[in-house]
Amino acid sequence: MSTAPKKPKRPSVLTQKLAKLGLTRDIDFVLHFPLRYEDETRLSPVRALQAGSNAQVEGEVVDQVVQYRGRRQLLVHIQDEQGDRLMLRFLHFYGSQLTQLAPGARLRARGQVRRSLQGIEMVHPSYKLITPADPEEKIATAALPTTLTPVYPSTAGVSQAYLSKAIRGALTRVALPALWTAQEAQQWGLQFLDTLSLPPLAEAVAFLHNPPPRVEENALLEHTHPAWMRVKFEELLAQQLSLQQAHAKRRACAAPAMPKCNDPTGNPSSLVVRLLQSLPFTLTSAQQRVQREIEDDLSAAYPMQRLLQGDVGSGKTIVAALAAAQAIEAGYQVAFMAPTDILAEQHYRKLVAWFAPMGVHIVRLSGAMKSKEKRNALESIAFGQAQLVVGTHAIIQNGVEFDYLGLAIVDEQHRFGVTQRLALQAKGQRTQTSEDKANDASMQYPHQLMMSATPIPRTLAMSYYADLDLSTIDTLPPNRSPVRTKLITQARRAEVIERVRAAALAGRQIYWVCPLIEDSEVLELQAAIETFTVLSEALPELTVDLIHGRLSTNEKHEVMEHFIAGHTALLVATTVIEVGVDVPNASLMVIEHAERFGLAQLHQLRGRVGRGEAASVCVLLYAEPLSWTARARLRTMHETHDGFAIAQRDLDLRGPGELLGARQSGAMLLRFADLQKDSALLDAAKRTAMVLLRHAPHVVARHLERWLGAREEYLTT
């Protein structure tokens, strides 16, 4: 008789809640450290209590009363050994508490002391019974603890009592031996770690869960105590090991090798050489250096994973085009993906101007294309006739099949998620021979070049981009003059409008960027329409146009066509023009309510002007009063044009979480380390990871399992 297979047991509600906290294994509980601590090792006499302080008292309940004053409250008076009284006020209580806190009960209460009309009191203190009111009820007399009481990160339905008990149990079951012996450290060259003076991990963990009462509390709360430094080092080491391991795994994969062709003497007819010779400008030394780095990568038989960063206007697009030329010359297709239709259109225009005269077939792929046009484009891509494909997310949609994708270029890569970049990579995966289809080792991957105009501070690059090779264009072309930045209060808005009129009548073009309204596209659109109406009425002699995210792709293209052609003098816009717009005649930008924008956005917007020969100005209109952060952002924009300095300041103000954008890999795995404060630990972790990967793969596996478990996959995508 056959029996149906048993259904897997559904996890309990508590198990599910613990999993949300990341608590599934014993080691997870061990590494679940307190948010803060309460000092329950001492009792304070009632007469010594100070309003505003946290304290713990012990006394006997002398009376209780349920009071109705606007709301139902439970008032309990306790009296200590010296005969002084303290009132405990409970605004929410259960019937069982009336029995617990009956006269005669002895309890210990802890909370914040405050002064009321009735004297000093505690509102909703935590408490525990020492002696019950009913002598028949059995309860153990609670001795004062000898260590600080931890308060753990939790969620609804998971009590502190449960967490404390579960963590104590896990600590008895989990051993935390050192990753290496003193002899191995000597043998592998890890002596540089001695300068950090870190305690062993087991000692640090035990200390953080049960610190002595006289410890320096600020060092615990600010994570500067040596025990915290050990934990943060171990966490950073896990991150660095995973990222460097991912980098090594990619090097073991196969990719199409594309011969170098940048030498006119070697092959003067190559596409790369012809493109270079056709340019009306000469590459800067920084562009030449980066182009050589990319050229070397493309000629290798493993997939390039390179991040190209450079300030606004530094000339990243031509470097990407030269990489595309190398791939096309070798017989492969290239995909060029951008986050917005406007940016994709700008790239398409540039690439057509460069490549079409040399016979390269370029296709633009957009979600707004007509059916027949899209069908023709897809056929051209699938049969390999399209050598270069430019588009937005449309490139990674189902139905887009490449004949042989050899290089994927992603512009403004932080605007795309990991999944989207992997989807583009998957478009080029293929087996090297038809006989190898079942063999993973035979898979060939396209090269990937990711670009960002938002420079990445060194600590972020080391911590979150250690799996990528990094190229930096650190100089601007000689014809780019700095944009003067002016800070002007909203009270002088009329003066700014007059400046716009004068610039337009002198033949220049102007952007007016509308205020950013968080979480409300409707209000943002409304603000843009109102601004457009006001400026059109104030400047009747000028041609004023409006562009925003709610316009269709074709409507956006039409607006931009008019502006690029010089038919529009003033373009009112939302942040849809943040990246990609390149109009050399535009020399004035006004950003309204600039205090609402982040530093990276302000820097990107400012980069839309200053692209021609005319002196350019960016006016930051702000409304008072300014917050400290907004004032710091605007001051930074006024003082520097250096994108790297701005990015570092942005990191200082906002932290890494927001700066990383859509790149989720590893971001949530740094729970304890602080990149600004812990740069010395990061340097040491990076060096240690390199040593361990070379000498001790068994240690690497053990450490990654301890810290990441199944989550390591997030660091390797």
Side-chain angles (χ1 to χ4, degrees):
M1 180 178 174
S2 62
T3 57
K6 290 184 178 180
K7 290 184 179 180
K9 191 175 179 181
R10 187 177 179 180
S12 68
V13 173
L14 177 60
T15 302
Q16 292 177 40
K17 289 182 175 181
L18 291 172
K20 284 185 179 179
L21 290 170
L23 304 176
T24 57
R25 311 168 299 162
D26 276 345
I27 188 62
D28 299 330
F29 283 90
V30 168
L31 299 177
H32 192 69
F33 294 112
L35 281 172
R36 57 186 175 84
Y37 302 88
E38 293 181 346
D39 188 354
E40 297 182 351
T41 64
R42 291 174 287 184
L43 293 173
S44 298
V46 171
R47 67 181 58 177
L49 298 180
Q50 299 284 330
S53 65
N54 285 299
Q56 180 172 243
V57 297
E58 188 175 307
E60 183 177 320
V61 177
V62 291
D63 67 58
Q64 69 163 228
V65 61
V66 177
Q67 189 180 76
Y68 296 86
R69 285 191 178 176
R71 65 190 303 170
R72 188 166 168 261
Q73 306 177 40
L74 172 62
L75 306 181
V76 176
H77 285 93
I78 63 171
Q79 181 173 292
D80 68 4
E81 298 290 344
Q82 287 77 34
D84 296 305
R85 293 190 176 193
L86 173 69
M87 185 169 74
L88 312 180
R89 185 190 299 270
F90 297 90
L91 304 178
H92 308 283
F93 60 94
Y94 299 100
S96 59
Q97 287 177 278
L98 295 174
T99 305
Q100 278 184 344
L101 303 176
R106 187 168 190 81
L107 58 91
R108 189 176 296 152
R110 190 177 192 282
Q112 188 175 58
V113 181
R114 75 172 199 175
R115 191 167 297 282
S116 69
L117 295 175
Q118 289 79 28
I120 58 170
E121 65 177 21
M122 288 182 181
V123 179
H124 274 298
S126 59
Y127 69 90
K128 61 179 68 173
L129 288 175
I130 305 302
T131 308
D134 182 357
E136 302 260 335
E137 190 178 337
K138 302 294 183 186
I139 187 167
T141 301
L144 285 170
T146 57
T147 62
L148 297 182
T149 302
V151 178
Y152 293 103
S154 188
T155 189
V158 181
S159 69
Q160 288 296 316
Y162 176 85
L163 278 176
S164 294
K165 183 178 178 181
I167 289 168
R168 282 197 304 272
L171 284 167
T172 63
R173 295 187 294 272
V174 173
L176 295 171
L179 291 173
W180 52 78
T181 65
Q183 183 179 355
E184 287 171 330
Q186 182 78 23
Q187 180 184 342
W188 299 338
L190 291 173
Q191 297 92 327
F192 62 88
L193 292 177
D194 294 342
T195 60
L196 297 177
S197 302
L198 301 177
L201 179 62
E203 181 183 312
V205 167
F207 182 93
L208 291 176
H209 284 296
N210 297 287
R214 304 300 176 190
V215 71
E216 174 54 51
E217 194 168 354
N218 280 342
L220 283 182
L221 298 180
E222 294 175 9
H223 294 190
T224 57
H225 191 279
W228 266 120
M229 301 305 276
R230 164 55 76 179
V231 167
K232 290 192 286 187
F233 171 77
E234 299 269 333
E235 179 184 46
L236 287 167
L237 177 58
Q239 187 202 47
Q240 290 297 306
L241 284 170
S242 188
L243 289 170
Q244 291 183 33
Q245 198 173 59
H247 187 271
K249 283 179 182 176
R250 288 196 182 110
R251 287 293 178 99
C253 295
M258 302 167 179
K260 299 180 186 180
C261 45
N262 191 12
D263 181 5
T265 59
N267 183 7
S269 65
S270 79
L271 196 58
V272 172
V273 172
R274 284 190 289 148
L275 176 56
L276 282 169
Q277 291 174 343
S278 71
L279 296 175
F281 54 85
T282 304
L283 297 187
T284 64
S285 58
Q287 287 173 310
Q288 292 175 26
R289 168 176 43 79
V290 168
Q291 196 251 331
R292 286 193 297 271
E293 292 170 352
I294 295 170
E295 187 181 51
D296 288 343
D297 279 358
L298 292 177
S299 67
Y302 53 80
M304 172 176 72
Q305 286 282 335
R306 187 167 288 276
L307 176 61
L308 169 58
Q309 65 171 355
D311 214 339
V312 175
S314 60
K316 297 180 295 298
T317 306
I318 185 57
V319 172
L322 288 164
Q326 185 174 345
I328 293 167
E329 179 80 20
Y332 301 99
Q333 291 172 295
V334 178
F336 200 128
M337 189 165 75
T340 67
D341 281 314
I342 289 178
L343 182 53
E345 175 68 21
Q346 292 282 327
H347 283 314
Y348 177 72
R349 286 174 180 275
K350 281 188 177 180
L351 293 167
V352 165
W354 288 332
F355 281 116
M358 289 179 276
V360 174
H361 183 41
I362 305 177
V363 168
R364 183 163 186 266
L365 204 56
S366 163
M369 295 173 75
K370 293 178 181 177
S371 298
K372 184 178 179 181
E373 187 184 10
K374 186 173 184 180
R375 187 167 59 251
N376 291 339
L378 292 178
E379 287 180 3
S380 176
I381 296 168
F383 289 110
Q385 294 155 344
Q387 295 164 289
L388 176 56
V389 183
V390 184
T392 58
H393 305 75
I395 291 179
I396 57 175
Q397 289 176 352
N398 292 333
V400 181
E401 300 291 339
F402 285 82
D403 180 45
Y404 205 161
L405 179 64
L407 170 63
I409 300 170
V410 182
D411 195 16
E412 293 300 319
Q413 59 85 31
H414 63 283
R415 303 274 287 268
F416 292 100
V418 171
T419 305
Q420 292 165 316
R421 293 200 299 274
L422 287 178
L424 179 57
Q425 181 191 61
K427 295 289 183 184
Q429 286 179 219
R430 60 184 291 157
T431 52
Q432 296 182 59
T433 66
S434 57
E435 291 77 22
D436 287 335
K437 287 184 178 177
N439 182 4
D440 287 341
S442 72
M443 289 298 294
Q444 199 171 66
Y445 297 84
H447 297 282
Q448 284 202 69
L449 176 64
M450 289 158 279
M451 300 197 295
S452 176
T454 304
I456 301 160
R458 175 180 172 272
T459 50
L460 270 187
M462 284 177 62
S463 183
Y464 292 114
Y465 293 93
D467 56 329
L468 304 177
D469 295 308
L470 188 64
S471 287
T472 302
I473 302 178
D474 50 13
T475 58
L476 292 177
N479 63 330
R480 291 298 301 268
S481 56
V483 179
R484 283 193 302 145
T485 303
K486 297 192 172 187
L487 307 182
I488 299 179
T489 176
Q490 283 280 358
R492 297 170 56 196
R493 197 167 185 270
E495 295 176 34
V496 175
I497 293 176
E498 285 307 310
R499 177 161 192 147
V500 167
R501 187 196 312 274
L505 293 177
R508 315 312 301 175
Q509 288 174 278
I510 305 99
Y511 298 104
W512 190 295
V513 181
C514 296
L516 179 72
I517 300 173
E518 295 288 350
D519 303 323
S520 179
E521 282 188 22
V522 175
L523 290 178
E524 197 165 312
L525 176 60
Q526 182 181 326
I529 293 171
E530 288 175 1
T531 303
F532 169 71
T533 304
V534 169
L535 291 174
S536 297
E537 292 173 355
L539 301 165
E541 69 272 43
L542 303 185
T543 306
V544 185
D545 214 336
L546 171 65
I547 188 168
H548 53 76
R550 291 291 184 92
L551 294 178
S552 69
T553 301
N554 290 334
E555 288 171 328
K556 288 177 193 169
H557 287 166
E558 187 176 342
V559 172
M560 290 309 302
E561 287 280 356
H562 283 125
F563 192 62
I564 291 167
H567 302 318
T568 303
L570 172 59
L571 182 62
V572 178
T574 59
T575 54
V576 71
I577 57 114
E578 181 183 333
V579 293
V581 179
D582 187 1
V583 182
N585 192 45
S587 61
L588 174 60
M589 169 169 284
V590 179
I591 304 176
E592 196 163 1
H593 281 288
E595 75 279 0
R596 297 183 186 176
F597 294 83
L599 267 174
Q601 273 186 314
L602 289 173
H603 185 55
Q604 284 279 2
L605 287 167
R606 181 171 63 182
R608 299 309 106 209
V609 292
R611 292 173 171 259
E613 295 178 1
S616 297
V617 176
C618 178
V619 174
L620 303 182
L621 269 178
Y622 64 90
E624 296 179 302
L626 290 174
S627 67
W628 179 88
T629 305
R631 191 177 298 278
R633 284 199 299 264
L634 296 183
R635 187 185 302 119
T636 299
M637 290 298 296
H638 183 257
E639 291 174 351
T640 183
H641 292 83
D642 184 343
F644 293 92
I646 289 170
Q648 183 59 53
R649 184 63 174 144
D650 209 9
L651 177 62
D652 295 339
L653 290 172
R654 290 198 293 164
E658 292 183 62
L659 237 64
L660 289 168
R663 181 186 168 88
Q664 301 296 325
S665 295
M668 297 307 295
L669 297 177
L670 278 187
R671 294 176 289 163
F672 310 121
D674 182 301
L675 294 182
Q676 288 99 309
K677 297 176 182 176
D678 301 320
S679 58
L681 290 179
L682 179 57
D683 283 326
K686 183 175 183 179
R687 290 177 63 187
T688 304
M690 294 170 68
V691 169
L692 294 180
L693 286 166
R694 187 164 61 248
H695 294 293
H698 61 290
V699 173
V700 172
R702 192 165 74 239
H703 192 66
L704 289 176
E705 172 61 25
R706 174 187 291 175
W707 274 94
L708 303 182
R711 293 177 297 171
E712 188 191 350
E713 65 193 68
Y714 291 110
L715 283 172
T716 59
T717 52

